[in-house]
């Protein structure tokens, strides 16, 4: 079966890249994980061939413009028939009944109802201030407390995740179809509602939707530090990156446990990114060869060491 990672309007290349990287390593060889554009979601018969539909981080208003109506009807039908929806960061906002993002900020505010409504309440953010579109200025690495009672297997007490603009699921403990998997630790900069409990400030939730399930997150448990580059200008960012590197095993274990809780078959082998193999290009026309290499360099992932040129 297929795992479809939406890569069209409203997503960022970075978020799509991390989704593909992590889900392929955790779900192979049991599922085929690949990206899809909006045209495939709207026009292709993917429902009966797929197990999971994923919406990575970015901005949810462009997704609304693409999928409101027909697209959301298709996604809802898929989940209610037994499919799984994964919504990371803006994908979590998008799948809630209401999105409230930076309310009161005339330059940033996004608020209003959303059609999917897998989480019956409001996703509210930013949990931590400083977010800027297309920037890592607002990146945080918050500690999340894991709700151990939500799992049938042993899990860590806490984890650290990459965060950049995500939300909190307001008063999540009040909804019968919602299970809280992890909460933000310590002070946050948006208001929860209802009585404060150990499950307030929900960061990761699972929602039962018909015969299917939706996993929604305000953080990025799918972001792997191996794909994140250190900053030459921001030592504080490098310190955050080091935290992610040092706690990567706990992040992976938590995500594996969440995927199993959704009913997915997870690869339990050691988490390791396969090493790259050399690529040899030969050509009788050196000018064309160099043009090909230049194009490849432009599309090479940020963590690569580049391409060596030789005549």
């Amino acid at each position: 079966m297929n795992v479809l990672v939406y890569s069209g309007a409203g997503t960022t290349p970075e978020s799509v890249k991390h989704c593909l990287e992590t889900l392929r390593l955790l779900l192979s060889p049991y599922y085929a994980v690949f990206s899809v554009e909006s045209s495939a979601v709207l026009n292709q018969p993917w429902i009966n061939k797929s197990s999971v539909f994923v919406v990575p981080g970015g901005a949810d208003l462009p997704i609304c413009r693409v999928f409101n109506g027909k697209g959301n009807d298709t996604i809802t039908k898929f989940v209610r028939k037994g499919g799984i929806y994964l919504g990371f960061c803006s994908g979590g906002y998008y799948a809630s009944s209401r999105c409230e993002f930076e309310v009161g900020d005339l330059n940033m505010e996004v608020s209003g109802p959303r059609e999917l409504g897998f989480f019956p309440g409001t996703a509210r953010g930013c949990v931590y201030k400083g977010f800027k579109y297309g920037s890592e200025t607002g990146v945080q690495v918050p500690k999340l407390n894991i709700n151990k009672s939500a799992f049938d297997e042993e899990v860590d007490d806490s984890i650290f995740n990459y965060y950049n603009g995500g939300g909190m699921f307001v008063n999540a403990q009040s909804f019968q179809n919602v299970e809280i998997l992890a909460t933000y630790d310590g002070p946050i900069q948006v208001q929860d509602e209802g009585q404060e409990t150990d499950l307030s400030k929900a960061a990761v939730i699972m929602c039962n939707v018909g015969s299917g399930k939706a996993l929604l997150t305000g953080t990025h448990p799918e972001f792997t530090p191996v794909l994140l580059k250190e900053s030459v200008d921001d030592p504080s960012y490098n310190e955050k990156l080091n935290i992610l590197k040092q706690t990567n095993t706990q992040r992976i274990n938590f995500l594996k446990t969440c995927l199993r809780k959704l009913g997915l078959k997870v690869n339990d082998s050691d988490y390791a990114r396969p090493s790259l193999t050399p690529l040899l290009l030969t050509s009788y026309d050196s000018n064309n060869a160099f043009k090909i290499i230049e194009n490849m360099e432009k599309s090479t992932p940020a963590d690569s060491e580049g391409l060596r040129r030789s005549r």
Side-chain angles (χ1 to χ4, degrees), residues 100-112:
E100 292 183 358
F101 179 82
E102 292 295 272
V103 174
D105 185 329
L106 296 180
N107 295 316
M108 296 282 285
E109 179 175 341
V110 176
S111 61

Side-chain angles (χ1 to χ4, degrees), residues 141 160 225 228 230 235-248:
V141 182
F160 290 87
L228 296 170
E230 291 189 355
S236 66
Y237 176 80
N238 296 336
E239 292 174 5
K240 296 166 188 173
L241 181 54
N242 284 334
I243 294 174
L244 290 177
K245 290 177 178 178
Q246 293 165 9
T247 62
N248 194 44

Side-chain angles (χ1 to χ4, degrees), residues 23-45:
L23 293 177
R24 281 173 177 164
L25 286 171
L26 297 187
L27 297 177
S28 296
Y30 308 113
Y31 306 87
V33 181
F34 56 92
S35 61
V36 292
E37 292 286 340
S38 58
S39 58
V41 178
L42 291 169
N43 301 314
Q44 298 298 319

Side-chain angles (χ1 to χ4, degrees), residues 63-298:
I63 308 176
C64 291
R65 287 192 282 268
V66 171
F67 287 149
N68 276 0
K70 178 182 176 181
N72 286 335
D73 287 345
T74 301
I75 297 168
T76 299
K77 180 181 178 182
F78 164 72
V79 177
R80 289 196 170 277
K81 287 180 61 178
I84 293 168
Y85 174 96
L86 296 183
F88 297 113
C89 195
S90 66
Y93 285 114
Y94 182 67
S96 300
S97 288
R98 183 173 178 83
C99 168
E100 292 183 358
F101 179 82
E102 292 295 272
V103 174
D105 185 329
L106 296 180
N107 295 316
M108 296 282 285
E109 179 175 341
V110 176
S111 61
R114 296 294 182 264
E115 288 186 351
L116 291 182
F118 296 152
F119 172 58
T122 298
R124 180 178 293 161
C126 297
V127 170
Y128 304 103
K129 301 301 181 183
F131 172 80
K132 293 182 179 179
Y133 286 107
S135 168
E136 294 178 330
T137 302
V139 167
Q140 301 292 335
V141 182
K143 178 182 177 182
L144 304 184
N145 296 319
I146 299 175
N147 178 19
K148 301 179 75 170
S149 65
F151 299 96
D152 295 328
E153 55 186 291
E154 187 64 29
V155 292
D156 294 302
D157 293 326
S158 61
I159 53 169
F160 290 87
N161 275 181
Y162 181 98
Y163 170 93
N164 195 15
M168 171 198 65
F169 302 97
V170 175
N171 201 18
Q173 64 266 41
S174 68
F175 299 101
Q176 291 185 348
N177 73 316
V178 177
E179 195 168 11
I180 298 169
L181 306 185
T183 59
Y184 293 101
D185 182 79
I188 61 174
Q189 294 172 293
V190 290
Q191 186 68 39
D192 202 350
E193 297 172 2
Q195 183 178 359
E196 184 173 348
T197 70
D198 291 340
L199 295 180
S200 298
K201 300 182 289 186
V204 182
I205 61 174
M206 189 186 78
C207 308
N208 293 309
V209 184
S211 298
K213 299 180 185 299
L215 180 75
L216 312 182
T217 76
T219 59
H220 285 281
E222 83 287 8
F223 263 47
T224 175
V226 73
L227 294 182
L228 296 170
K229 290 183 65 176
E230 291 189 355
S231 170
V232 295
D233 302 318
D234 188 357
S236 66
Y237 176 80
N238 296 336
E239 292 174 5
K240 296 166 188 173
L241 181 54
N242 284 334
I243 294 174
L244 290 177
K245 290 177 178 178
Q246 293 165 9
T247 62
N248 194 44
T249 299
Q250 291 93 327
R251 174 189 71 87
I252 287 297
N253 288 340
F254 175 70
L255 188 52
K256 281 184 174 182
T257 306
C258 290
L259 294 174
R260 281 193 290 264
K261 185 176 177 66
L262 291 169
L264 296 171
K265 191 171 183 178
V266 177
N267 182 350
D268 285 323
S269 62
D270 290 339
Y271 178 82
R273 194 180 189 211
S275 59
L276 298 178
T277 56
L279 178 65
L280 178 64
L281 174 65
T282 61
S283 174
Y284 66 87
D285 186 338
S286 60
N287 289 329
N288 282 339
F290 282 126
K291 288 179 181 179
I292 293 172
I293 291 173
E294 287 173 357
N295 289 334
M296 292 173 67
E297 285 178 327
K298 292 176 182 178

